[in-house]
Amino acid sequence: MEKALLMTMLMACHVGRPPPSSSVFSVGRVVGATAEASLEDGLEKGLSSALAQRGALGEGVPVDVSVLSFDRQVSGVGTSGDLVHTGTLTVEFYVRGPMPRRVVLASQRSWLVSAAVPIDAASERAAALAGLTGELSKDAAEWLLYAPEESP
């Protein structure tokens, strides 16, 4: 019985997420095709932080980041005439080096613009952008470490 339990535990260790890449990455160029200046800075800091948390930040393979689009639209009307805005951020992460690869990630977030206090709209949008850049940076770090590298 103990032997069967031990075998089950050993097999469970091999199921699930693949082993992480042993590569170390650095954040390369970060460019944007939008008027939102905070996006580039947020993505650079976010990717650096996400890689550092996973022990994968250093003088390694450069990862370039390109903001492809940030689309914003009014997606609904809340109580008291408040407007619900939804923003979709699409970003490309490109790994340079001997085995280049790329991924395009997108995320969406909504925020409320109060009809009573419309001046808060800028801070609400900034908070949504910070959330989007953080989320996409974490997703990119996971992709860098766990996605299989393509063969040349």
Side-chain angles (χ1 to χ4, degrees):
M1 181 70 174
E2 288 178 27
K3 190 174 186 178
L5 180 61
L6 182 61
M7 289 300 290
T8 303
M9 288 174 44
L10 286 174
M11 289 182 67
C13 291
H14 294 289
V15 178
R17 188 186 280 193
S21 166
S22 60
S23 297
V24 175
F25 301 94
S26 63
V27 179
R29 295 182 303 256
V30 181
V31 296
T34 69
E36 301 285 345
S38 64
L39 285 177
E40 292 148 9
D41 190 43
L43 285 164
E44 183 175 1
K45 288 178 181 175
L47 185 57
S48 294
S49 174
L51 289 170
Q53 288 174 354
R54 291 158 179 79
L57 181 66
E59 293 298 320
V61 180
V63 179
D64 293 334
V65 183
S66 298
V67 177
L68 300 179
S69 66
F70 175 64
D71 299 317
R72 181 179 50 131
Q73 63 185 13
V74 176
S75 57
V77 179
T79 58
S80 307
D82 299 341
L83 298 178
V84 179
H85 290 255
T86 299
T88 304
L89 178 60
T90 306
V91 180
E92 176 190 53
F93 297 88
Y94 177 75
V95 180
R96 290 186 270 156
M99 295 182 61
R101 56 190 173 127
R102 70 184 275 274
V103 67
V104 175
L105 301 174
S107 188
Q108 193 172 66
R109 191 162 288 215
S110 295
W111 64 95
L112 192 65
V113 176
S114 170
V117 189
I119 197 156
D120 288 343
S123 64
E124 292 295 323
R125 185 179 79 237
L129 287 173
L132 286 169
T133 58
E135 182 179 328
L136 289 176
S137 295
K138 289 176 186 174
D139 290 347
E142 292 292 310
W143 173 76
L144 287 166
L145 293 174
Y146 295 105
E149 293 184 9
E150 300 169 10
S151 356

